[in-house]
Structure formats: structure tokens, C-alpha cells
Amino acid sequence: SIFYLSNIPEDKGGWGQGFAKLSEQDRIREFIQKGEFCISRLESWFRYQGVYQISYEGLNTRTEQELRNVLEWLGIQGADSVISKTIARHSFKSRASGRKPGQEDKASFYRKGISGDWRNYFDNECVNAFKTAKNGRWNRLLLDMGYEDNADWGC
């Protein structure tokens, strides 16, 4: 979100040039403190009952199976050709103008196309802020979603 919010215009929800000029770690800390809208939505979406939960990580590592699982959950059968076409059309490489996953463009919505890259931007201060801000809500959600196994994680 820190890359996205620093690149989109303020009238479209961006946080402006002052935010964009901060270091990445300072943007992370500011987002953690001021991102109530985001943590509230994430908590609500993750805890909402009766939905199929899917993650970027799952789509990235088990693309075909994850899409098949979604279609099965929706009651749609026999869509293998649709899955293959969908994967080809919406892959990172096709969406990011030919870049391969790992080739970063910080100004693009399709920034890097890999999982877990957030760890490369967190320093000890970011980790501490994430664990303690909003009475620990960020950290609880991280654990509930399975991104870390215990509350004593670090980068």
C-alpha cells in the first residue's frame, strides 16, 4: 500500500507528495499509524463468514488449483479452458508489460509480482510499530491470516 498510496493522485485516494517523499520505512510507519481505514477493512473482509478466502500467495504458487477451487466453490464445473486462458491473460508478465516476477517497477500497480517482499522493507522500527500500533490489531490480523506463526516474529 505504501507504494500505491505514494503514486496515485490525491483525488484518487493517494496520500500526496509529502508522503511520497518519505523513506519507505517512514511511509510504512506512517501507514501503520494512520491506516485505520485499511486495518478495519482487512479485519472485516478476513472475518466475514460465507466467503471463499484466497490469498495472493496461493494464487502465485498454486494458480490453476486456486482458480479451480474458486470455481468449484461457486458451483461452476468444467472450466479448464477458461482457467488456462484466464491465467495467460492475467499473469504478472502480461499485466506488467512483459516484466517477469521480481522485476520491480515501484511506480506500477503491478510493482514486483512476488510474495513476501514486504519483509525486505521492514526494519526493526517497522516491526515494532506493526506489533504495537492500534493495540496490536495489525499483528493479530497478521497471525490470524497465517503470515506468521507466532507473535515474536521479526525481519
Side-chain angles (χ1 to χ4, degrees):
S1 291
I2 66 154
F3 294 103
Y4 180 71
L5 292 171
S6 63
N7 286 318
I8 61 172
E10 285 185 76
D11 64 341
K12 304 251 190 273
W15 284 17
Q17 287 301 309
F19 183 72
K21 289 179 182 178
L22 296 173
S23 73
E24 290 158 345
Q25 287 71 31
D26 285 341
R27 278 188 268 157
I28 290 168
R29 287 186 286 275
E30 185 164 331
F31 180 80
I32 289 167
Q33 292 301 321
K34 295 181 179 176
E36 178 64 36
F37 72 97
C38 187
I39 185 69
S40 294
R41 285 183 187 151
L42 289 171
E43 288 168 332
S44 176
W45 292 338
F46 181 71
R47 293 185 173 94
Y48 193 81
Q49 299 298 308
V51 298
Y52 183 84
Q53 290 187 0
I54 192 165
S55 68
Y56 181 74
E57 292 75 15
L59 281 173
N60 226 7
T61 59
R62 304 176 304 281
T63 310
E64 190 171 321
Q65 185 59 52
E66 286 291 342
L67 290 177
R68 190 171 283 111
N69 291 347
V70 169
L71 293 174
E72 183 179 309
W73 188 84
L74 292 170
I76 300 170
Q77 302 297 320
D80 286 345
S81 65
V82 172
I83 290 173
S84 298
K85 289 176 187 174
T86 301
I87 291 170
R89 185 173 181 198
H90 296 281
S91 70
F92 177 80
K93 188 174 182 178
S94 69
R95 288 296 204 181
S97 302
R99 282 186 293 123
K100 294 178 183 175
Q103 293 177 321
E104 185 173 41
D105 178 354
K106 290 182 181 181
S108 173
F109 181 77
Y110 306 102
R111 186 178 61 81
K112 199 168 187 178
I114 62 171
S115 301
D117 191 48
W118 62 273
R119 285 184 169 88
N120 294 324
Y121 295 93
F122 270 54
D123 59 15
N124 288 334
E125 287 180 47
C126 292
V127 170
N128 186 51
F130 194 86
K131 288 180 177 182
T132 59
K134 309 282 183 207
N135 293 317
R137 287 171 56 202
W138 286 107
N139 203 47
R140 276 192 301 282
L141 186 60
L142 183 86
L143 295 167
D144 290 349
M145 293 176 84
Y147 285 98
E148 291 294 342
D149 294 330
N150 65 65
D152 198 26
W153 63 274
C155 291

